[in-house]
Amino acid sequence: MDAKPDEKKGRPKIPRLISEEPKFETFKPLGTPRYDLETLKLTVEELESIRLVDYIGYAHEDAAASMGISRRVFWNILKSARQKISDALINGKMLQIGGGHYRLRNCGNTCSGGRCSYRVRQCNWKDRKDI
């Protein structure tokens, strides 16, 4: 039986867990109009991988666990994010942040003083009503 063109083969993609939505959606070189710049798309999970490893300082294994994915998948996401960011910085391109396949982490009752069982230092704990 032939697969339909719209159907993807293989395992379905698991949504990556992120701690928070991005605060900014666009970064561009100062003084150059948007329409003159090439745009690179940085997904939300790519930004989360940069945040966990390069900003917070997690080991790859811990960062992958906090996003709910394997180390190999995490490494591919991180590598893609670093390549896009370096291209934007070196070649003066605009970064547009958004999209991807992710889910906002909901800690439920596991949070305590901003720490959660996902081993992420800054969880989405402020949204809880009982804190």
Side-chain angles (χ1 to χ4, degrees), residues 75-119:
W75 171 246
N76 290 335
I77 292 170
L78 181 64
K79 189 169 90 173
S80 173
R82 286 177 171 168
Q83 191 277 326
K84 290 175 184 178
I85 291 170
S86 62
D87 186 14
L89 291 174
I90 293 167
N91 297 311
K93 297 179 181 179
M94 182 168 66
L95 280 176
Q96 188 73 41
I97 302 169
H101 192 68
Y102 66 93
R103 187 176 77 219
L104 195 59
R105 179 177 289 107
N106 182 2
C107 294
N109 294 324
T110 60
C111 290
S112 167
R115 305 200 104 205
C116 71
S117 66
Y118 287 107
R119 296 171 58 192

Side-chain angles (χ1 to χ4, degrees), residues 2-127:
D2 293 331
K4 294 178 183 174
D6 294 349
E7 293 178 13
K8 291 185 178 183
K9 294 183 179 182
R11 297 174 61 185
K13 200 179 234 186
I14 297 171
R16 284 79 163 122
L17 297 173
I18 64 161
S19 294
E20 60 189 41
E21 295 281 344
K23 291 176 178 67
F24 303 97
E25 296 176 355
T26 305
F27 286 90
K28 71 174 202 66
L30 187 64
T32 307
R34 295 177 80 150
Y35 55 83
D36 285 343
L37 295 171
E38 184 178 337
T39 301
L40 299 173
K41 301 280 186 181
L42 188 72
T43 65
V44 175
E45 57 263 28
E46 287 173 331
L47 180 63
E48 180 74 356
S49 70
I50 291 289
R51 187 184 76 81
L52 291 172
V53 171
D54 296 333
Y55 182 69
I56 295 178
Y58 271 30
H60 290 197
E61 186 172 348
D62 293 335
S66 74
M67 288 181 71
I69 55 178
S70 71
R71 287 184 299 182
R72 181 182 178 125
V73 170
F74 178 81
W75 171 246
N76 290 335
I77 292 170
L78 181 64
K79 189 169 90 173
S80 173
R82 286 177 171 168
Q83 191 277 326
K84 290 175 184 178
I85 291 170
S86 62
D87 186 14
L89 291 174
I90 293 167
N91 297 311
K93 297 179 181 179
M94 182 168 66
L95 280 176
Q96 188 73 41
I97 302 169
H101 192 68
Y102 66 93
R103 187 176 77 219
L104 195 59
R105 179 177 289 107
N106 182 2
C107 294
N109 294 324
T110 60
C111 290
S112 167
R115 305 200 104 205
C116 71
S117 66
Y118 287 107
R119 296 171 58 192
V120 176
R121 291 181 189 126
Q122 302 221 344
C123 180
N124 191 22
W125 62 277
K126 289 181 250 177
D127 292 342

